[in-house]
Amino acid sequence: QVIESGCVGRKMATPIGVAEEREISLDAEALKKVRASFRCGYNTRDAIIYALGIGCDAQRYVNELDTRFAVFPTYPLALFHKGEAAEVQSFPQPSVKRFLQATRTLGLPMIDAEVDIQTLAALPTGGGTFVMSTALVGASQKGPGVIFRERTEMRDARNQALVCRIESAFFCLGAKLATPTIGPRPPKP
């Protein structure tokens, strides 16, 4: 059985339940070099469409005329895939693709493991242009794959003001590290 990928319109070579195993040659020094930075932006319409798309019907997130109108707090996560374009983007977005290529994980199945968003300033309701800078901060072997941990900062492109920090982790099925843990150990649940 083969997975059909609707995003890119071609079949993936990985059968369901069986992942290609791929050695990831990263050490602490190489880990420091896995970084991505890209510009992204949105407008009021984008923020409203996002809120509606996640099933939100609270007027403060879907009606720009509401006196309490605000951008839904998780919207920065969508900017990883949107970039600056107003049109549909290729998947993965070019900066994300470079990040995956640097870790040799492009093409391996990935699952979001956790996300923590620390909002330091209100997301502008009128939108804006921002710079997202992501760095890989750690990796740990976990069963049949690797958990990668990354840190992202979102800054206003005009004045470099820090808008939010995103700490996230994703599980990459089939990846195999040469050493069990790279970087600081992940916190215990």
Side-chain angles (χ1 to χ4, degrees):
Q1 187 176 16
V2 177
I3 301 168
E4 182 74 35
S5 173
C7 292
V8 292
R10 64 176 182 249
K11 292 189 178 192
M12 296 171 62
T14 305
I16 291 176
V18 178
E20 164 194 350
E21 200 168 278
R22 190 180 303 167
E23 181 93 15
I24 308 294
S25 300
L26 282 177
D27 58 23
E29 286 306 307
L31 185 74
K32 292 176 190 174
K33 296 176 185 171
V34 180
R35 300 180 177 281
S37 187
F38 61 96
R39 292 175 68 88
C40 57
Y42 68 91
N43 58 34
T44 304
R45 179 198 65 220
D46 295 332
I48 292 170
I49 290 172
Y50 173 79
L52 291 168
I54 62 170
C56 179
D57 60 4
Q59 289 298 299
R60 72 172 299 199
Y61 298 117
V62 299
N63 180 356
E64 73 275 16
L65 301 178
D66 188 296
T67 56
R68 300 167 302 133
F69 180 64
V71 176
F72 201 85
T74 58
Y75 186 64
L77 299 176
L79 295 174
F80 284 105
H81 304 291
K82 183 184 177 306
E84 285 186 284
E87 295 298 322
V88 175
Q89 293 294 295
S90 62
F91 186 83
Q93 202 255 357
S95 60
V96 174
K97 187 173 183 175
R98 285 191 298 276
F99 195 77
L100 296 174
Q101 287 169 331
T103 58
R104 296 188 59 235
T105 56
L106 185 63
L108 291 178
M110 299 222 183
I111 302 166
D112 283 330
E114 64 184 19
V115 176
D116 178 42
I117 302 173
Q118 181 184 16
T119 304
L120 304 168
L123 296 169
T125 56
T129 302
F130 304 89
V131 176
M132 300 278 263
S133 299
T134 299
L136 198 58
V137 295
S140 303
Q141 192 69 48
K142 188 79 170 171
V146 172
I147 293 180
F148 288 98
R149 294 177 311 286
E150 59 187 10
R151 182 174 298 126
T152 301
E153 289 189 344
M154 178 177 160
R155 294 184 178 274
D156 189 308
R158 293 171 299 151
N159 59 16
Q160 295 302 304
L162 187 58
V163 177
C164 73
R165 280 192 192 99
I166 302 169
E167 302 273 339
S168 59
F170 58 94
F171 180 73
C172 184
L173 185 64
K176 185 162 174 48
L177 291 174
T179 58
T181 301
I182 300 169
R185 290 204 176 280
K188 298 240 183 213

